[in-house]
Amino acid sequence: MASLDSHVLKKLVCLSFSTLFIMITMVNSESQCQNFEYIISFGDSIADTGNLLCLSDRNNLSLNGFPPYGETFFHHPTGRSSDGRLIIDFIAEFLGLPYVTPYFGSKNGNFQKGVNFAVGSATALEASFLEERGYHCPHNISLGVQVKVFKESLPNLCGLPSDCKNMIGNALILMGEIGGNDHNGPFFQRRPIDEVKELVPLVISTISSAITELISMGGRTFLVPGEFPIGCSVAYLTLYQTSNMEEYDPFGCLKWLNKFGEYHDEQLEAELKRLRKLNHHVNIIYADYYNALLGLNQEPTKYGEPYNFNFSTCCGSFGVDSCNDPSKYVAWDGIHMTEAAYKFMADGILKGPYTSPPFNWTCLSSKIKNKNSLDTQSSLMNS
């Protein structure tokens, strides 16, 4: 009889552990389900919805404050470095949230559903650090400055500390793209690639530190973009144009510059993996901007012939014309992309396959999901 009781006891213990495991799995599954109520954004011009324009001197506005910027969707310049919407705008639409308000020019604006600290030309590293090495930074709004301003603005954004922690915890925190300008500076000065590579671990460490600080403030979900395939960028193709065809891949992109982008992203992914191990309760999602854009860049005819880019006379300058139909092109102003390209990238980030781990939208209401889902095929791919 005693042996039977022991057998039954063992079965009950096993059953209890199984039930506990199922409950833990359910809790973990539920915690990974994303239904965001807020967007917090940091970065540079890829995510800037108007901060640089607001920070510019009225007598010396940034070029994205002039036509043809904004012509496609908003029908006027908004400070976005494109003809229309950016990736962050498509993310907001998908989530059923309003476009994210730029902080620096709208301190009395509506920040109930989101706030954007991304500034065009911003760097990950401090401007003083880069200036000491001879890399000119036109603005001093680094990632560290953006996070500092965010912390200082919390009483105005959300009030009580408990309310702020709740806001940050229920937000999708977009960390960039940031770091591209740290590399653009020396590359545009034609510095040796080994010199630029030395900056990569410093850039990634800075991004990692910012994420860690935001985690300590209650952040639970981060979308962290990687580098672009800059070897396909019109600006770089113009600057490093060469008659040596062996330097180009079959699609006309400069191989060595794209390898640099791959190197950066490998280092970033490794660091994000380390952060995940240290913060099991946090969802850190890598956004593969490189491959999301690469497929579009591998159609050279999208650029037009020739590259139609000039460093001294940029888009937005007096007398510079834009293409008649930006929806058929990837490149907008030689450095930034068109709304059509950003839409295609946003689709691949929100619905796959360009995020790791992928988003879990199972708890996002079907009404919002169906209303705001992006088209699988954009006019860019059908042109």
Side-chain angles (χ1 to χ4, degrees), residues 122-296:
T123 54
L125 300 172
E126 293 301 322
S128 58
F129 176 89
L130 294 168
E131 292 279 0
E132 287 175 4
R133 283 152 182 77
Y135 312 138
H136 176 59
C137 300
H139 303 282
N140 191 26
I141 313 294
S142 65
L143 178 59
V145 172
Q146 293 175 30
V147 173
K148 180 175 181 288
V149 173
F150 170 58
K151 291 176 70 175
E152 293 172 347
S153 67
L154 283 177
N156 295 325
L157 293 175
C158 45
L160 298 174
S162 57
D163 294 331
C164 292
K165 191 166 185 179
N166 183 62
M167 177 197 78
I168 298 169
N170 289 305
L172 173 62
I173 303 175
L174 181 59
M175 299 299 298
E177 187 268 346
I178 191 72
N181 289 318
D182 300 69
H183 308 319
N184 288 340
F187 271 138
F188 286 167
Q189 294 178 26
R190 301 182 73 94
R191 299 286 187 95
I193 189 169
D194 289 342
E195 185 177 318
V196 189
K197 272 190 172 183
E198 291 176 359
L199 296 175
V200 172
L202 302 176
V203 166
I204 290 170
S205 175
T206 302
I207 295 170
S208 177
S209 295
I211 293 172
T212 301
E213 186 170 4
L214 291 163
I215 289 173
S216 71
M217 295 168 63
R220 292 191 299 177
T221 305
F222 297 82
L223 181 64
V224 190
E227 181 64 271
F228 287 99
I230 58 175
C232 303
S233 163
V234 173
Y236 279 105
L237 287 169
T238 302
L239 182 63
Y240 288 99
Q241 191 167 3
T242 175
S243 57
N244 182 5
M245 299 312 294
E246 291 184 0
E247 292 195 17
Y248 296 93
D249 67 15
F251 304 100
C253 300
L254 286 163
K255 292 186 286 188
W256 66 276
L257 278 167
N258 276 355
K259 284 182 180 177
F260 172 82
E262 292 170 3
Y263 168 76
H264 175 278
D265 288 351
E266 286 169 5
Q267 304 300 310
L268 177 61
E269 285 192 87
E271 179 60 18
L272 296 184
K273 185 177 181 180
R274 187 188 72 85
L275 285 177
R276 291 186 193 108
K277 288 181 179 179
L278 294 174
N279 304 278
H280 295 289
H281 66 292
V282 177
N283 196 16
I284 301 174
I285 301 169
Y286 170 69
D288 188 0
Y289 279 16
Y290 182 95
N291 284 301
L293 187 61
L294 188 63
L296 295 178

Side-chain angles (χ1 to χ4, degrees), residues 329-373:
Y329 290 83
V330 173
W332 167 243
D333 59 8
I335 296 174
H336 308 97
M337 273 60 73
T338 59
E339 177 186 275
Y342 284 138
K343 180 178 181 181
F344 181 84
M345 291 178 66
D347 193 13
I349 290 159
L350 290 165
K351 299 191 291 182
Y354 298 116
T355 50
S356 176
F359 280 105
N360 178 358
W361 300 121
T362 54
C363 61
L364 188 65
S365 73
S366 58
K367 181 180 178 182
I368 292 177
K369 205 170 178 180
N370 292 332
K371 179 182 177 183
N372 297 296
S373 61

